[in-house]
Amino acid sequence: MAKITFIAADGTRYEMEAPNGSTVMENAIRNGVPGIEAECGGACACATCHVYVDLDWTAVVGAPEAMEEDMLDFAYDVRPTSRLSCQIRVRDELDGLVVQVPERQQDAITAISGSGPAYIFFVVESMVEAGVHLGLP
């Protein structure tokens, strides 16, 4: 278990105990943290679970992998400490982790002008690259 603190855009703090192996996003949703929308359910396909990792925790949390970096291109107000909370797995070393929720979330549909089919193609392509089996022939 690890204690995680979310700081909402209005400054409200949400503290919770998170089980190892879960994601930071799952715990935010389970505990009703406002501003974490998680529209894709944790598939790293929407950027609506964007958080800012506290500077003291960036080295412990680690850097995003390539697919997450690609999705962060669609997030609102990306900063050097930005991460998608669905990609941060809880482990003992994260006990005391502090993350801040941006003032709003932006998904890839909003970020890509003329979206629709382009977004759907992007999401499917991202899921295939991640090894998600889509059940298609």
Side-chain angles (χ1 to χ4, degrees):
M1 288 282 240
K3 179 182 171 187
I4 300 174
T5 301
F6 289 84
I7 303 173
D10 69 1
T12 304
R13 298 172 74 88
Y14 296 83
E15 296 180 357
M16 62 203 63
E17 293 291 325
N20 288 350
S22 64
T23 66
V24 171
M25 178 217 73
E26 290 167 339
N27 288 282
I29 296 299
R30 191 175 302 124
N31 289 280
V33 176
I36 300 295
E37 298 170 11
E39 290 178 1
C40 73
C44 194
C46 74
T48 61
C49 66
H50 175 215
V51 295
Y52 306 120
V53 175
D54 184 272
L55 282 173
D56 293 339
W57 287 95
T58 55
V60 179
V61 169
E65 293 190 16
M67 190 165 109
E68 180 182 353
E69 284 181 347
D70 289 344
M71 287 310 306
L72 281 167
D73 289 341
F74 300 108
Y76 174 77
D77 191 23
V78 176
R79 301 176 186 174
T81 62
S82 288
R83 290 293 308 268
L84 297 182
S85 58
C86 68
Q87 299 301 297
I88 305 171
R89 285 262 169 224
V90 176
R91 56 191 192 278
D92 289 337
E93 295 81 18
L94 296 183
D95 187 33
L97 174 66
V98 177
V99 297
Q100 183 175 353
V101 180
E103 66 179 285
R104 70 181 179 92
Q105 298 286 354
Q106 173 174 282
D107 64 14
I109 290 175
T110 306
I112 300 173
S113 62
S115 55
Y119 173 72
I120 292 168
F121 175 78
F122 175 79
V123 170
V124 170
E125 181 181 49
S126 297
M127 292 173 75
V128 169
E129 286 176 6
V132 175
H133 178 67
L134 300 176
L136 301 173

